[in-house]
Amino acid sequence: MIIEDNFRQEFYNKIKKGDKSVVLIVSVDTDALCTTMILTHLLRCDDIPFSILAVEGWSSVEKIFADSQEQKCHYILINCGATRSLTRLQIPPASIAFVIDSHRPFHIENVYENGQIHLLANPSEMSELQIPDLESVIREDSDDEEDSDEDEDQEYISYEQRMEKIRRKAIKREEMQIWERQRRTILWRYYESTWFSSPSCVTLLEMAAEMNRVSAETMWFTAVGLNSAMADKLISIEMYTQICVDRMRPFVHRFMPKNIVNQGKVDDLLHITFGRELPLALYSHWDLFSAMMVSEYFSIKTKNWTQKGDVNIRHLLAQLGITLHETKQKFEALPTEQRNLVVDVLEKEMDSSFATFFGTLGYCGKLSACDVARAVTLRLEMPKSETIMNRFRSGQSILRSSITGERQDRLNLNNTFTSICQRTLQVSWKTVAAAINQSEIIPNGPYYLFSCSRSIDEDMVDSRHFLYNTAGFMIRAFASMKKGRTTKPLIAMFPLTGESAGWLVVTGVMPIATIYEDSLLKTCIGRAFERVKKMTPPLRIVDDYFNSDIIRLKSEDRTRFIDFLQTVFEGTSN
Amino acid sequence: MNAERCEFIAGNSLIEVIPSISDDRPIHLISGDIGPFEAGVPCRIPVWTAILMKRKHNCKVVAPQWMDVDELKKILTSETESQGLAKLPDHFFEISHMLVRDAREDIFEVEAVKSLVQDIYDRRDAKLRSSAIEFLRQNQTCHAQLDNVQLIEASSARATLEACRQMGAVVRNKHESTPL
Amino acid sequence: MAVTDSATTFLDFDDDEYDEMTTPEEVLRKMTATWQNELCAPCLLPTQMELVEILLDQIQGMEENIGKQTDKMQLRISVHRVELQRIGFITSDYVRCRLQKIESNPHDAIDQHKKRKEEGKSDLLSESEMKFAEEYALAESNLFQKTVLEFMPAALKKMPVPRGDHDDVMVYAKVTSDDVGNVAIPDWQDLNGEVILEMEPESCHLIPFESVHQLVEDGNIQLM
């Protein structure tokens, strides 16, 4: 069942009062981590013991359930669990699940399972959900069976009566078939596309506020979680801005430095400001030139993957009045005035309305939540050789180090920025550049297909952040080369190496035309993959990811997959 | 005795808090009753309880009177002027440390407070150090009066003192024993 | 759901020492002071196990009370819990400290205990500590016997018992009573002489432990 509001009563207090042990099942993404940080802060305040289990796919959730069939638990599933039926995943019968998940749509069985499963949803998104009525999708289909049994037993009834019965049965069956058909259409429409709702951490922050337990730290966690959704391209800039304006505003003023009576003196408290920021990843921890090279906007504008690219970029810089000298040195090393000037120019050029949160702590430099979100996300997703719990912990420590003044922590964070984050951006750019230069993107009927021929670190290929960003970047870059490339989706395949050699990671992005239209960034790629999986002869597909539009495919089945997908897409468009 | 235990003992001293919750029944602790609490009305409770409640967002801590920049400056001046150790409130350093760590938001100008407390500590430490050297280098008396010394200062000096004693024993042994 | 805390009910002890009514609050205060003294003193001080026992009873009673509570998440419950943990820490740290001292020289502890008994002073060790000391001493001598002494010439087959060397240990002490009077300390300039010191209330001293040993036992001086 869905809980729309009053989460404090309906969710938190129930856990608090309950005698069951509290188990947090946390998906390994930044929003989930931030949500966990807030929730565990609340639980600690109330001395409620809890355990955290990090999960990365449906199979691990299933395993947790299988291992604890006998136990009575309060499961809190964070950013996982809403889109598949938990009943079918064999949730232990004596346990209760609360699902705080930003994946949409909800699985219909989770919605109409009344006692055991509770889905937390925002009241504002209820109309968006368009959940079908109970009667139209679920029906007890036992009574007509009983009827037929009775018929066999009662042999003495007359011919007319028997005919009557048969006729009634036929009508019933026909009604049943019609209902069945309707049901299928309704569900088809309901499940057609997947999208992301507002990040879970925002919901939790609001709940913490209701309990009067918001601190600068929890506010910062929320800022990072919210920005991670933006950096992973899960939510659109419109939705992001709307959340900032509608839901974050009450908190923004609370931790502003000027609100604290401290005439301009630096104290050691964490302060959070909200302000405009260039949508240019990591530039403040890099030099401008490198950051612009790999940024989607500048890269597409200058087509810097072509031979003329370098000239174009110089040309653009000259136009903007920014010297090469300025762009090639570490951004932080520029004098403040010059920095502001350059940022102003670029902001105008990019015509951006992006604003984000900045954390300041004593004399440590200002950090943008957006950059921290990238660092945390990559720490969580790589390297895959680490156990999932270790990655969860290192993500946690990176998140914490953004708000402690400890030297070692800062070094660690900076190291993440300069090594992993920058490298990921560069690999992403190189992949796109190579794809376009070597014409690796081919039109395949109703969609474009990109098959990566270079080998990329397995770590990156398995990271949602990398996949979504690269695919999104690629489709835009591809469209920029020639007119009329905005109406077809792009399917991207990356070969895995190492332990999982022989498998491909497949993902896809919606056509640009629809991306621009839809502020929820709905996608039907996941649905298409699902249908391909159901086709015969069955392909070897593993769809264990919480995001249905990322799957693994056995390399040998590649050609058949491509054909099947074509059939599916042609079927939908007709 | 070490710094942590000093802090533990200091945790029993009373401090004023402004609760944000109400509870009309007092809590009967083994160490005495606390409460009842009424939101917004200050009351005195042990420091450890205050920090516990603070962590639960149940109260605001009212910093002790002496934990004010002007007051601390006065203390620092008197510490500089006086020959011996000046009188300090009980568990001065331990309480400062706990509050700066756990109730940072509730202290006005926390950074200034922190550095003033550190200055006071340094000044006293210097005095104690020089007097310890003075004491150890003489052989007239085995007694020194150190009024107003704080628990934590005595604890931190003990290790040095014990080391010196053992050193003395070694030296004495050397003089007393005859070489083989 | 009224909380009936056992801490409010006054305790009545059978012990002669505690024949007057004592509140748990006072017991705790005394325990804390005793603990602090034990930590700072170079040798074992007379046992105060009765205090530990009373407090352990208190902890148990309070735990039962907490167990009866239905709403375990209230503030008061967690305050009670933390207090129990704090008291638990003091008592076990006290016991731990004493055991360490016994382990460092079990024979001496036993000898001192017997000597005090003969002099009619209060017990140095509690019964269980005495048992521990004896067992430890036995185990230790068995070990030495097996590993070293067996192989020694007959004349050396005996373990000497080292005497505790606390005579010249200096301690920090604070005068807590009003009428402590005078204290004699050894005079370093005249080996047979003594210097008389006046112990003003609230004053702090760096002083040889032996000079104030008795005063600490009487509770007139707090070691720091």
Side-chain angles (χ1 to χ4, degrees), chain C residues 20-215:
Chain C
E20 72 238 67
M21 305 270 267
T22 314
T23 61
E25 196 180 335
E26 264 169 63
V27 176
L28 182 58
R29 199 171 304 130
K30 212 164 167 193
M31 180 75 235
T32 313
T34 311
W35 170 58
Q36 195 179 332
N37 278 340
E38 191 70 54
L39 284 170
C40 299
C43 66
L44 280 164
L45 294 175
T47 179
Q48 297 279 3
M49 258 337 172
E50 311 89 353
L51 295 177
V52 174
E53 242 121 74
I54 294 164
L55 286 175
L56 288 181
D57 275 354
Q58 284 286 315
I59 292 182
Q60 207 183 353
M62 190 63 91
E63 262 168 4
E64 277 166 21
N65 262 327
I66 292 178
K68 281 183 219 147
Q69 293 300 304
T70 41
D71 181 6
K72 295 234 184 331
M73 302 307 160
Q74 312 176 43
L75 171 68
R76 58 177 60 237
I77 299 295
S78 69
V79 173
H80 276 304
R81 271 212 195 104
V82 174
E83 188 189 36
L84 295 187
Q85 284 161 4
R86 285 175 67 89
I87 298 173
F89 171 73
I90 296 184
T91 49
S92 43
D93 200 52
Y94 173 71
V95 174
R96 190 161 42 231
C97 174
R98 289 181 63 84
L99 291 184
Q100 264 164 8
K101 285 182 184 174
I102 294 174
E103 280 181 12
S104 71
N105 196 343
H107 291 286
D108 188 43
I110 296 168
D111 291 350
Q112 293 289 332
H113 179 72
K114 285 182 181 152
K115 205 169 118 200
R116 283 184 72 99
K117 268 237 145 101
E118 278 162 24
E119 288 168 5
K121 290 189 191 162
S122 62
D123 285 355
L124 184 70
L125 301 177
S126 72
E127 260 175 55
S128 47
E129 280 171 340
M130 185 63 190
K131 200 166 152 244
F132 173 80
E134 277 166 349
E135 279 171 11
Y136 194 88
L138 187 66
E140 198 179 59
S141 57
N142 277 344
L143 177 72
F144 285 145
Q145 192 66 40
K146 273 191 212 147
T147 52
V148 182
L149 295 181
E150 237 183 30
F151 312 102
M152 291 289 200
L156 291 174
K157 268 195 199 264
K158 221 179 127 238
M159 271 291 293
V161 175
R163 277 279 290 120
D165 169 30
H166 310 305
D167 294 343
D168 57 346
V169 175
M170 306 280 280
V171 290
Y172 288 94
K174 185 172 187 170
V175 183
T176 46
S177 297
D178 287 343
D179 47 345
V180 177
N182 298 336
V183 159
I185 56 165
D187 186 352
W188 279 4
Q189 281 162 311
D190 171 10
L191 286 178
N192 300 317
E194 280 182 336
V195 180
I196 304 297
L197 279 179
E198 202 195 329
M199 301 297 262
E200 287 170 45
E202 290 295 300
S203 59
C204 301
H205 304 266
L206 181 59
I207 199 166
F209 176 65
E210 276 315 310
S211 309
V212 290
H213 193 157
Q214 193 53 47
L215 287 170

Side-chain angles (χ1 to χ4, degrees), chain A residues 404-440:
Chain A
T404 61
E406 301 291 322
R407 203 180 121 73
Q408 194 51 47
D409 285 343
R410 287 281 155 160
L411 284 176
N412 198 3
L413 183 65
N414 268 330
N415 190 30
T416 311
F417 283 142
T418 50
S419 58
I420 307 177
C421 296
Q422 293 180 359
R423 219 177 89 74
T424 310
L425 286 167
Q426 279 164 338
V427 171
S428 191
W429 177 82
K430 271 185 199 148
T431 312
V432 173
I436 291 175
N437 282 340
Q438 292 160 24
S439 317
E440 282 179 314

Side-chain angles (χ1 to χ4, degrees), chain A residues 288-333:
Chain A
L288 269 178
F289 193 81
S290 315
M292 283 165 74
M293 270 294 278
V294 298
S295 103
E296 212 176 286
Y297 176 85
F298 286 108
S299 180
I300 291 173
K301 178 155 181 144
T302 58
K303 309 221 170 16
N304 62 359
W305 51 82
T306 58
Q307 279 182 333
K308 264 181 66 194
D310 216 34
V311 181
N312 284 348
I313 227 169
R314 276 158 211 268
H315 196 72
L316 175 72
L317 286 175
Q319 234 173 23
L320 295 173
I322 302 173
T323 61
L324 265 185
H325 177 71
E326 279 170 322
T327 55
K328 291 258 169 137
Q329 63 176 307
K330 220 167 174 292
F331 184 77
E332 270 188 323

